[in-house]
Amino acid sequence: SEIALNFIADNEVFIMGDKDTLFQAIYNISDNAIKYTKRYGEVNIIVEQKDGEAHIVVRDNGVGMRPEDTEHIFERFYRVDRARSRNSGGTGLGLAIVKHLVEAHKGYITVESERGKGTSFIVKLRKKRK
């Protein structure tokens, strides 16, 4: 589908961690954002320094989720839309794996979403000490 994909960053943000693992986590979140954003929608990937941490925010204006879904979204095998996940080959493990990868870096991940308005996943990691 045709969407706008924007990358926005504060100057330079240095993060301690394994680049392949962190790439996989951000890739999984971004892939979901693209899948659940309608044609001509927008996905923003924002990297910023905030509250002494490095924040990586993946924000879309896609279909969004209900509050009862956001409570369980990081659980293994949990799928918001079972029919769509089955058709696209999803297993319900992606976000559980993302949470594990982020926590392995002593970080954490949160989600904010509103049905019909979009979703934001916020990965918070320790910044590299100079």
Side-chain angles (χ1 to χ4, degrees):
S1 80
E2 300 171 30
I3 66 164
L5 181 59
N6 304 304
F7 297 91
I8 305 160
D10 276 355
N11 299 312
E12 291 182 328
V13 178
F14 295 94
I15 301 167
M16 286 294 290
D18 179 73
K19 67 178 178 143
D20 295 328
T21 302
L22 291 172
F23 172 82
Q24 187 63 52
I26 302 308
Y27 174 83
N28 285 357
I29 298 167
S30 302
D31 187 51
N32 279 348
I34 291 167
K35 284 179 189 173
Y36 291 99
T37 298
K38 296 178 183 175
R39 189 174 189 184
Y40 305 119
E42 185 172 270
V43 174
N44 294 310
I45 300 172
I46 304 156
V47 180
E48 59 190 356
Q49 298 180 60
K50 194 171 187 179
D51 303 325
E53 299 172 316
H55 290 195
I56 303 167
V57 181
V58 179
R59 179 176 296 137
D60 67 62
N61 62 354
V63 297
M65 293 180 276
R66 301 171 302 175
E68 55 267 31
D69 290 322
T70 60
E71 292 174 18
H72 301 285
I73 198 70
F74 298 109
E75 295 173 7
R76 292 174 52 205
F77 306 115
Y78 186 82
R79 294 185 289 197
V80 173
D81 183 346
R82 288 167 178 29
R84 182 177 172 131
S85 295
R86 187 171 45 251
N87 293 337
S88 65
T91 61
L93 288 172
L95 291 174
I97 291 169
V98 166
K99 182 179 180 190
H100 173 75
L101 296 175
V102 169
E103 289 177 349
H105 283 82
K106 297 188 175 28
Y108 54 101
I109 183 169
T110 59
V111 62
E112 299 169 359
S113 189
E114 188 174 341
R115 193 83 175 134
K117 297 208 176 191
T119 302
S120 294
F121 283 92
I122 303 101
V123 174
K124 300 175 183 181
L125 299 164
R126 295 184 311 173
K127 290 188 337 184
K128 179 180 178 180
R129 293 207 190 329
K130 293 187 178 185

